[in-house]
Amino acid sequence: MERENSTVVTEFILLGLTQSQQAQLLVFVLVLVFYLIILPGNLLIILTIRSDPGLTAPLYFFLGNLAFLDASYSFIVAPRMLVDFLSEKKIISYRGCITQLFFLHFLGVGEMFLLVVMAFDRYMAICHPLRYSTVMSPRVCYALLLALWLGGFTHSIVQVALILHLPFCGPNQLDNFFCDVPQVIKLACTDTFVVELLMVSNSGLLTLLCFLGLLASYAVILYRVKGHTSEGKHKALSTCTTHIIIVFLMFGPAIFIYTRPFRAFPADKVVSLFHTVIFPLMNPVIYTFRNQEVKASMKRLLSHHMIC
């Protein structure tokens, strides 16, 4: 009851990506085309991995889950952003804002933990090949998958709990095209220093530690790869290079957004656009284009359905 009395704001006005009509139209077309091309590609990756009995290794199991997570993540922001481009007034309810914020961090951190699991999978496959099938058994893979979902859920619940205890009694304009912690906190009618510190610790520190841990693990893997045969070395380098590209695409924007005090920077919206819409859809596609087995299986699947 106390929170309801202190929270007067029932909706937020999103100021959007830009105020320029021409820029809005250009971004709308580009995002729509990108969305309609890449999203079916992600779904095709999931279908290919699920339908091919030859793609049962843990690497492909996790790749399918990455495609699912990224496709789900893109649904949180992109569809509403496209609708808002066509709306004169962009309004989101308080509950809708909190819901969007919850799923944004739930799936985002889940994907971050999945990249950590995928790095562990590559470490075991390259550095301990004799123990790989024992350690990365189907049971272990499902346990790791459950753990990353629970980790993402716990992280997101903490974020939402901190937001729900803040009073919102006046300003309701969010200078962004979606709801996220840095913008929402700034509208609270109280001193938010402690909450911002907790948020940076919860999101920023976690992101930075995972990023540094991933870089260290791939450095160890690349060092160990030097002793492999030329064929095995080439395949390991190709896989690790792909993983490292995805790590930078995923963690770069997140570190920029969450590891600093919540002050507005000119590049914030552009970084957020790539972080929430562009990069999530690209991640599985980058993996697939550099993986010969998945590409071959996808071609077989498409040719089979075309013939049928």
Side-chain angles (χ1 to χ4, degrees):
M1 191 73 179
E2 183 179 345
R3 192 193 70 78
E4 290 180 1
N5 288 336
S6 62
T7 304
V8 177
V9 172
T10 59
E11 63 184 24
F12 294 105
I13 299 172
L14 302 172
L15 298 183
L17 192 62
T18 176
Q19 299 303 310
S20 168
Q21 291 295 326
Q22 285 105 345
Q24 282 194 38
L25 180 61
L26 177 63
V27 174
F28 172 81
V29 172
L30 290 175
V31 170
L32 180 61
V33 170
F34 182 83
Y35 199 68
L36 293 178
I37 293 174
I38 303 296
L39 182 60
N42 280 2
L43 300 178
L44 179 61
I45 293 168
I46 298 171
L47 181 62
T48 300
I49 293 172
R50 289 296 299 264
S51 62
D52 191 338
L55 300 178
T56 56
L59 173 65
Y60 305 115
F61 172 75
F62 293 129
L63 176 57
N65 279 279
L66 177 70
F68 173 76
L69 268 174
D70 279 326
S72 302
Y73 191 79
S74 68
F75 276 116
I76 302 170
V77 174
R80 183 181 181 90
M81 183 183 71
L82 291 171
V83 171
D84 283 344
F85 275 134
L86 305 176
S87 306
E88 188 174 337
K89 201 169 185 182
K90 306 165 180 60
I91 296 175
I92 185 170
S93 67
Y94 177 81
R95 288 185 178 180
C97 182
I98 296 299
T99 302
Q100 187 180 62
L101 191 150
F102 170 80
F103 281 105
L104 193 72
H105 285 266
F106 175 36
L107 297 177
V109 171
E111 181 176 347
M112 185 173 70
F113 288 155
L114 178 56
L115 292 176
V116 173
V117 170
M118 292 176 78
F120 176 70
D121 172 71
R122 289 301 85 204
Y123 172 79
M124 291 303 302
I126 294 169
C127 300
H128 301 283
L130 298 179
R131 297 173 54 201
Y132 178 70
S133 59
T134 304
V135 175
M136 297 303 294
S137 64
R139 186 174 180 178
V140 171
C141 290
Y142 280 109
L144 290 171
L145 190 66
L146 177 62
L148 68 90
W149 279 101
L150 289 175
F153 180 79
T154 303
H155 164 82
S156 193
I157 283 292
V158 172
Q159 298 285 88
V160 169
L162 290 172
I163 292 287
L164 289 176
H165 282 83
L166 293 175
F168 296 93
C169 53
N172 68 336
Q173 290 189 337
L174 287 172
D175 189 17
N176 212 335
F177 55 93
F178 69 103
C179 282
D180 200 6
V181 172
Q183 292 79 32
V184 174
I185 279 184
K186 286 301 181 185
L187 298 182
C189 305
T190 186
D191 182 15
T192 59
F193 175 77
V194 175
V195 178
E196 284 189 39
L197 193 62
L198 290 172
M199 292 288 192
V200 170
S201 300
N202 188 25
S203 292
L205 186 60
L206 179 65
T207 303
L208 186 60
L209 289 176
C210 285
F211 176 69
L212 295 175
L214 283 167
L215 290 185
S217 67
Y218 282 117
V220 172
I221 292 172
L222 292 174
Y223 177 77
R224 295 290 294 271
V225 161
K226 289 194 304 182
H228 286 209
T229 61
S230 58
E231 184 181 348
K233 184 177 181 179
H234 174 74
K235 188 174 181 179
L237 284 174
S238 177
T239 303
C240 288
T241 302
T242 306
H243 284 219
I244 292 168
I245 291 171
I246 300 302
V247 165
F248 275 98
L249 291 181
M250 173 72 185
F251 285 88
I255 290 171
F256 177 82
I257 295 169
Y258 299 114
T259 58
R260 58 180 171 83
F262 296 153
R263 295 172 186 165
F265 284 83
D268 281 353
K269 291 183 181 181
V270 176
V271 173
S272 295
L273 175 65
F274 279 91
H275 182 55
T276 57
V277 180
I278 307 298
F279 289 157
L281 291 170
M282 286 178 62
N283 288 348
V285 177
I286 294 172
Y287 269 110
T288 304
F289 282 150
R290 295 182 63 91
N291 189 295
Q292 297 300 323
E293 289 83 359
V294 177
K295 281 198 295 185
S297 178
M298 195 176 290
K299 287 177 183 177
R300 287 196 299 271
L301 180 67
L302 290 173
S303 61
H304 173 73
H305 283 283
M306 282 181 174
I307 293 171
C308 294

